[in-house]
């Protein structure tokens, strides 16, 4: 059994934990933006391939007390780095996070960890200098109240980079955040879904992947492919198993609209890439089934009317710096109040960084969730709809 750490938006820990349970992982607690879990070596591949709401997956290589630099070095040196890394590896300690600890110089911690790893590898393999001609390997360090945790990146590019986005447009919503919104709203594939400010189509595309059980990592590569523990045959087997679970035949009504025709063109192109990737995965198992694309149309949200008695609106409307100023955002939100009449009976969810949202739209949300992705603090306002 290996210990792992998955990163996510702050506020999404419970949702990510539920995803990990479905993969058969054992949960070992969480911290803001982090979920700790354990599992066998298959989890290395499954977590990167299947997690929709995680930003990265790490192997926890070491965890120990480190109140001084000697302890920091010794604990890192004692870890079995030779089991994970290749002889030509280029080690990079990319980030250090310190909280209430005696050691507080991030630069010094960074250097000490890198020195310990290289010295361990050199001593194990009886070489004085590693060539560093191979692939980069990222290490992350957390020191929390004098407890050090050393993590080995297995993802490479952040997991929100599914591979289908061609051009995001202005301030695109992260794919992982879109997946969090769908889970927060408890959306099911039989319920019609519409995004009236779809931009590059992220929410609709993530809903399509979810509804048709398409693993979000099918179209990309991962950092674990360069580790010594990588088993290519097993990784391919699990990828084929994921392809066999795709459901191209299920019925779902997923749509998006935007006033900007260029945004609609981007959304269609992104959706095409996502569905083509799923189609290629199906070809791995001998299937020529096609994935139905979500529908996108150019439209002002003020002109929309509900096509069904019940459904769900989920959107990332323009706000603040995306519009130019807070006043423009306020005016937009006031106009959005009509959506409650035009889509009576529909549930709604809107994510924004503007605290004026509720007052401007004229409705108090039934549920509010704070979500922090990267450096952006946002609020997700959820409405049950008029029943």
């Amino acid at each position: 059994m290996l210990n792992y750490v998955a990163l996510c938006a702050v506020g999404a820990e419970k949702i990510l934990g539920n995803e990990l349970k479905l993969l058969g992982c054992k949960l070992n607690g969480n911290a803001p933006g982090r979920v700790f879990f354990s599992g066998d070596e298959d989890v290395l591949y499954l977590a990167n391939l299947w997690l929709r709401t995680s930003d990265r997956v790490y192997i926890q290589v070491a965890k120990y007390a480190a109140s001084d630099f000697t302890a920091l070095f010794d604990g890192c040196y004692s870890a079995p780095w030779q089991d994970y890394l290749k002889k030509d590896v280029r080690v990079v300690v990319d980030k250090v996070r310190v909280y209430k600890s005696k050691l507080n110089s991030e630069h010094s911690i960074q250097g000490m960890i890198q020195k310990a790893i290289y010295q361990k590898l050199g001593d194990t393999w009886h070489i004085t200098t590693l060539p560093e001609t191979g692939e980069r390997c990222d290490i992350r360090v957390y020191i929390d109240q004098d407890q050090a945790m050393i993590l080995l990146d297995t993802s490479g590019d952040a997991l929100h980079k599914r591979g289908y986005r061609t051009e995001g447009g202005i301030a695109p919503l992260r794919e992982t955040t879109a997946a969090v919104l769908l889970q927060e709203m408890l959306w099911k594939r039989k319920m019609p879904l519409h995004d009236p400010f779809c931009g590059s189509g992220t929410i609709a595309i993530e809903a399509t992947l979810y509804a048709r059980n398409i693993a979000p990592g099918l179209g990309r590569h991962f950092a674990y492919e360069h580790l010594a523990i990588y088993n290519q045959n097993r990784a391919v087997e699990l990828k084929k198993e994921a392809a066999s679970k795709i459901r191209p035949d299920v019925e779902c009504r997923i749509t998006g609209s935007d006033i900007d025709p260029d945004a609609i063109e981007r959304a269609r192109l992104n959706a095409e890439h996502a569905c083509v990737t799923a189609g290629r995965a199906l070809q791995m198992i001998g299937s020529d089934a096609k994935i139905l694309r979500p529908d996108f149309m150019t439209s002002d949200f003020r002109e929309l009317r509900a096509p069904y008695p019940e459904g769900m609106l989920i959107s990332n409307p323009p706000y603040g710096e995306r519009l130019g100023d807070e006043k423009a955002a306020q005016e937009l939100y006031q106009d959005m109040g009509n959506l409650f009449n035009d889509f009576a009976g529909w549930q709604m969810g809107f994510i924004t960084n503007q605290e004026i949202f509720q007052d401007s739209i004229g409705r108090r949300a039934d549920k509010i969730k704070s979500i922090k992705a990267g450096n952006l603090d946002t609020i997700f306002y959820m409405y049950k709809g008029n029943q």
Side-chain angles (χ1 to χ4, degrees):
M1 295 284 282
L2 294 174
N3 291 320
Y4 299 90
V5 179
L7 304 189
C8 63
V10 176
E13 297 84 4
K14 183 177 180 180
I15 290 174
L16 175 55
N18 289 336
E19 282 196 276
L20 289 164
K21 287 180 184 177
L22 290 175
L23 291 179
C25 302
K26 177 187 176 184
L27 299 185
N28 300 321
N30 62 62
R34 288 176 281 165
V35 177
F36 310 105
F37 63 103
S38 54
D40 58 23
E41 289 190 3
D42 278 358
V43 169
L44 172 68
Y45 312 114
L46 293 172
N48 281 288
L49 189 63
W50 278 103
L51 292 178
R52 302 181 189 280
T53 62
S54 176
D55 293 314
R56 286 187 182 278
V57 175
Y58 291 92
I59 296 173
Q60 180 186 301
V61 181
K63 184 178 181 181
Y64 55 94
S67 58
D68 56 44
F69 281 108
T70 299
L72 181 68
F73 179 93
D74 291 345
C76 183
Y77 181 90
S78 66
W81 293 105
Q82 69 279 3
D83 294 344
Y84 299 105
L85 307 180
K86 296 181 179 180
K87 289 187 178 180
D88 61 352
V89 67
R90 181 164 61 95
V91 175
V92 176
V93 182
D94 69 330
K95 286 188 180 178
V96 174
R97 296 287 184 264
V98 180
Y99 177 73
K100 291 185 178 180
S101 298
K102 295 183 178 68
L103 298 176
N104 55 25
S105 170
E106 294 183 4
H107 181 72
S108 298
I109 293 168
Q110 194 173 28
M112 188 63 70
I113 292 297
Q114 190 166 26
K115 179 181 178 182
I117 295 172
Y118 276 128
Q119 187 164 325
K120 177 60 174 286
L121 296 177
D123 291 348
T124 302
W125 295 326
H126 306 291
I127 55 179
T128 56
T129 305
L130 271 70
E132 296 189 78
T133 55
E135 295 292 335
R136 166 176 169 155
C137 173
D138 286 344
I139 306 295
R140 183 165 295 195
V141 181
Y142 288 93
I143 303 181
D144 190 337
Q145 299 184 68
D146 297 326
Q147 291 289 316
M149 181 181 292
I150 316 299
L151 306 179
L152 171 61
D153 180 36
T154 70
S155 300
D157 285 339
L159 293 180
H160 76 269
K161 296 182 179 180
R162 317 289 204 211
Y164 62 72
R165 188 193 294 277
T166 52
E167 181 186 351
I170 299 174
L173 184 72
R174 280 189 181 182
E175 292 83 343
T176 46
T177 305
V180 169
L181 304 187
L182 290 163
Q183 293 294 325
E184 283 286 352
M185 292 289 289
L186 302 177
W187 178 73
K188 305 298 181 185
R189 66 173 178 268
K190 292 183 179 180
M191 178 173 287
L193 176 74
H194 185 75
D195 178 357
F197 301 92
C198 71
S200 56
T202 305
I203 292 175
I205 295 170
E206 287 298 312
T208 299
L209 298 183
Y210 176 68
R212 302 190 184 281
N213 204 37
I214 300 168
L218 278 172
R220 52 162 288 169
H221 292 281
F222 303 98
Y224 63 62
E225 296 169 22
H226 307 298
L227 298 178
I229 59 173
Y230 176 53
N231 183 331
Q232 184 177 9
N233 291 334
R234 186 56 180 154
V236 172
E237 286 176 7
L238 292 172
K239 197 170 184 178
K240 287 182 177 178
E241 286 182 16
S244 71
K245 295 177 180 179
I246 295 175
R247 302 186 62 184
D249 56 334
V250 298
E251 180 182 349
C252 46
R253 291 161 288 182
I254 302 170
T255 55
S257 60
D258 200 286
I259 197 171
D260 181 0
D262 291 335
I264 293 300
E265 185 60 31
R266 285 194 300 270
R268 288 172 177 159
L269 191 57
N270 289 338
E272 179 70 16
H273 287 172
C275 293
V276 165
T277 296
R280 287 174 181 159
L282 287 168
Q283 290 173 5
M284 294 173 56
I285 57 172
S287 172
D288 60 357
K290 304 298 181 184
I291 305 297
L292 188 65
R293 282 65 168 154
D295 289 327
F296 296 102
M297 61 180 178
T298 304
S299 177
D300 189 318
F301 74 91
R302 301 170 184 85
E303 300 171 355
L304 297 174
R305 297 296 181 271
Y308 308 102
E310 294 182 348
M312 189 174 288
L313 286 185
I314 304 180
S315 197
N316 175 36
Y319 51 80
E321 57 274 6
R322 293 175 64 197
L323 280 173
D325 57 47
E326 185 177 300
K327 182 180 179 182
Q330 184 177 13
E331 292 174 352
L332 174 70
Y333 299 154
Q334 288 172 345
D335 288 347
M336 284 173 58
N338 289 328
L339 288 171
F340 292 96
N341 298 321
D342 298 333
F343 286 80
W346 282 50
Q347 300 176 56
M348 300 187 190
F350 303 105
I351 187 169
T352 174
N353 70 345
Q354 294 290 337
E355 295 182 358
I356 62 168
F357 180 81
Q358 290 187 102
D359 291 336
S360 299
I361 203 170
R363 298 271 181 145
R364 309 308 293 179
D366 295 295
K367 182 180 177 182
I368 296 174
K369 179 76 174 183
S370 295
I371 300 172
K372 182 171 184 176
N375 295 321
L376 186 61
D377 293 306
T378 58
I379 305 169
F380 189 40
Y381 298 94
M382 290 166 272
Y383 299 84
K384 293 180 180 179
N386 303 322
Q387 300 299 325

